Amino acid sequence: MFKKAILWLVCMCFCVSFCGCAFVGDNDELVSPPELTGELSLIADALYDVAGDSIDLEYPTAGQYRSAIILEDINGDDVYEAFAFYNTANDEMNSVHINAICQQDGAWVSVSDQTMIATGVEKVEFCDLDGDGHEEILVGWDVNGSSEKKLSVFTFGESKLEQKLIQSYTNFLCWDLDVNHGAELFVHFLSAADKTNKSMVFNLKNNEMVQTMGCLMDASVKSAASPVASVLPNGQRAIYIDEIKGVGSVTEVLYVSEGELVNPLLDSEITFENISTYRAASIETKDIDGDGILEIPVASDLPNAQIDGEKLYYTNWCTFDGTKLSAKKVTIMNTVDGYYLTVPKTIIGYVAVEKNIESHVRKFYHYDSINDILGRELFTITAVDINDWTSSDYERQNKHEIARNENTVFVAELGEGAASFLITIDLIKDTFYLVE
């Protein structure tokens, strides 16, 4: 009965085509569990033969592969290998196995097993790191909950798993960063407690993992988002990493120059921080105009008004060409309600915003930056609960819907100074964007 229950769980969580697609557990199109197939039964039976019935499957919590048993054709021969992650009642504390199961003479057979000191599996990837046509197996292990993680790189040849690297990491990805027709392993490691923040690049050479490049990063950072593989405006491949400081955030951009991994936005001589991309709000880098190039949100040093003692900022969405940041779009962000307004160049420095977070209201005023005088109200934007907006009790006079999402209607109302600055509801609509 225990075997049947485990097999049913395997089928519930995984869908596989033995004609070509990899084993992915989070298939949105899977409406009902597939029937138990002979192949899945044989794979599970091969695991039980070596591990016993009392096993707990370990499921990756991030990445493309979310299955405890993953099928991948790692050597390109159109025959799948299976890799299972599990622990047993007989294991010591904090132990997780990776088990390789292969087809031999028409039968599934467990051929190799390694035990790792870990509490779980965070992520699994497959990547050809030496260009020989055979993928290596990259496994991120949770070691102490999720507070400490270790990355293993395994080769699998002649029916044997061999660990080639064990490395502390925060995030990793596999990509041909230096465009030499072969993928590298990029590893980002951040330890806020030790004030360590660095990136490393590894290659598989002569069947050994070797660090070939690396660079330091902002040591004052507290946490980091996953690295994003992208390009600079000139097509140069680069990795963008958004990071959170104690207050505010920054973006670091890394790329290969003359055979070295460089981080040109880091002040490596005085502050050892990235101050060029600092912004007070934790706004993420994104391709804001859909041209395929990521823009970095940078707090503007243009003049702004202070309302109730709070300094107000524009957000410049900047491209980075490897040398300098260039603003492509200037916006006023509302991260609480999830929208932003683009600001025409002609009025940059001449708009101030009064915000009321509790009532979800932003009031926009003309601002005389030379004399530091707050002028007439131009318009107001309010985020209204959709149920309130559709209620007959809601006062809609002079209020116009400019956008909505599932729960909220965004409403604009013109102020007394709107006509003098040719501000209309249509203009507000044209400059208003929801944060995706």
Side-chain angles (χ1 to χ4, degrees):
M1 179 63 70
F2 185 84
K3 283 187 179 182
K4 289 182 179 179
I6 290 293
L7 290 172
W8 184 83
L9 284 172
V10 171
C11 288
M12 281 287 289
C13 297
F14 318 132
C15 177
V16 64
S17 165
F18 288 92
C19 299
C21 73
F23 215 153
V24 182
D26 53 350
N27 189 340
D28 293 336
E29 297 179 357
L30 185 61
V31 177
S32 59
E35 293 183 3
L36 180 63
T37 68
E39 293 286 356
L40 283 177
S41 298
L42 293 173
I43 293 171
D45 282 340
L47 181 60
Y48 300 137
D49 286 343
V50 296
D53 288 350
S54 299
I55 68 172
D56 289 322
L57 298 175
E58 293 287 346
Y59 298 83
T61 57
Q64 175 185 358
Y65 301 94
R66 300 298 181 96
S67 308
I69 300 174
I70 301 171
L71 287 171
E72 179 80 359
D73 176 16
I74 66 169
N75 54 15
D77 62 357
D78 295 325
V79 177
Y80 281 96
E81 292 77 33
F83 300 94
F85 299 90
Y86 70 97
N87 59 42
T88 75
N90 296 325
D91 284 329
E92 296 181 0
M93 288 281 291
N94 301 338
S95 294
V96 179
H97 295 255
I98 175 174
N99 189 283
I101 305 167
C102 296
Q103 300 180 64
Q104 296 181 356
D105 299 325
W108 287 97
V109 179
S110 172
V111 297
S112 187
D113 191 282
Q114 287 213 21
T115 305
M116 305 299 299
I117 298 174
T119 57
V121 181
E122 190 215 25
K123 185 167 68 168
V124 179
E125 291 189 10
F126 299 91
C127 184
D128 183 359
L129 292 171
D130 58 359
D132 66 351
H134 290 206
E135 293 177 323
E136 280 64 55
I137 307 142
L138 285 54
V139 184
W141 309 96
D142 290 324
V143 177
N144 183 17
S146 59
S147 62
E148 181 182 357
K149 300 186 292 187
K150 296 285 187 180
L151 169 63
S152 291
V153 176
F154 296 97
T155 57
F156 183 67
E158 299 181 355
S159 300
K160 183 179 180 182
L161 285 166
E162 290 191 42
Q163 183 174 246
K164 298 299 181 180
L165 177 72
I166 185 75
Q167 170 68 48
S168 297
Y169 79 98
T170 301
N171 288 295
F172 68 89
L173 60 81
C174 189
W175 197 37
D176 184 6
L177 182 59
D178 57 4
V179 198
N180 65 352
H181 308 293
E184 290 84 35
L185 171 61
F186 175 86
V187 179
H188 177 213
F189 176 64
L190 168 64
S191 173
D194 298 332
K195 295 187 179 300
T196 299
N197 191 11
K198 61 182 179 179
S199 288
M200 298 158 281
V201 175
F202 294 88
N203 289 87
L204 183 60
K205 295 184 176 181
N206 300 320
N207 207 31
E208 297 294 334
M209 290 296 295
V210 179
Q211 182 179 338
T212 55
M213 292 180 282
C215 68
L216 295 176
M217 301 172 67
D218 191 325
S220 66
V221 164
K222 304 301 180 183
S223 63
S226 297
V228 177
S230 187
V231 294
L232 302 180
N234 63 2
Q236 165 84 49
R237 294 192 177 188
I239 292 176
Y240 293 70
I241 305 178
D242 289 330
E243 300 173 314
I244 306 298
K245 289 174 170 279
V247 176
S249 59
V250 297
T251 301
E252 307 209 59
V253 183
L254 315 179
Y255 59 90
V256 176
S257 177
E258 298 182 353
E260 297 291 337
L261 186 67
V262 297
N263 182 8
L265 291 171
L266 180 72
D267 180 356
S268 58
E269 295 183 358
I270 301 176
T271 66
F272 297 97
E273 293 186 42
N274 177 339
I275 57 177
S276 300
T277 63
Y278 178 80
R279 59 268 189 189
S282 300
I283 307 169
E284 296 180 350
T285 298
K286 65 165 57 180
D287 179 7
I288 198 168
D289 55 4
D291 66 350
I293 306 297
L294 291 177
E295 280 81 39
I296 301 170
V298 180
S300 173
D301 59 358
L302 294 172
N304 289 266
Q306 292 189 33
I307 297 180
D308 295 332
E310 180 181 2
K311 179 71 174 177
L312 301 174
Y313 295 95
Y314 294 107
T315 298
N316 291 327
W317 291 89
C318 300
T319 56
F320 180 62
D321 64 2
T323 303
K324 65 181 183 299
L325 292 160
S326 301
K328 293 184 68 177
K329 184 177 291 190
V330 180
T331 64
I332 296 174
M333 304 292 299
N334 180 347
T335 57
V336 175
D337 298 316
Y339 68 84
Y340 64 90
L341 290 168
T342 58
V343 183
K345 292 182 179 180
T346 55
I347 65 171
I348 291 174
Y350 299 99
V351 177
V353 184
E354 181 180 19
K355 59 184 180 181
N356 188 317
I357 294 176
E358 291 185 1
S359 60
H360 303 278
V361 173
R362 296 290 190 273
K363 290 187 177 183
F364 296 79
Y365 295 87
H366 170 246
Y367 173 62
D368 182 348
S369 58
I370 297 176
N371 298 306
D372 192 22
I373 297 174
L374 195 65
R376 291 179 295 174
E377 181 182 330
L378 302 176
F379 61 94
T380 298
I381 294 179
T382 306
V384 182
D385 184 278
I386 196 166
N387 294 322
D388 293 337
W389 177 250
T390 55
S391 170
S392 59
D393 296 332
Y394 192 85
E395 178 55 59
R396 292 196 184 192
Q397 186 174 1
N398 298 325
K399 297 178 181 178
H400 306 267
E401 177 180 337
I402 56 173
R404 69 167 61 196
N405 58 27
E406 184 178 355
N407 302 309
T408 307
V409 175
F410 298 91
V411 178
E413 183 176 3
L414 297 178
E416 60 180 2
S420 298
F421 292 90
L422 303 179
I423 294 175
T424 64
I425 293 298
D426 286 340
L427 178 63
I428 298 171
K429 285 182 178 180
D430 289 341
T431 60
F432 182 94
Y433 296 88
L434 295 176
V435 176
E436 298 179 358

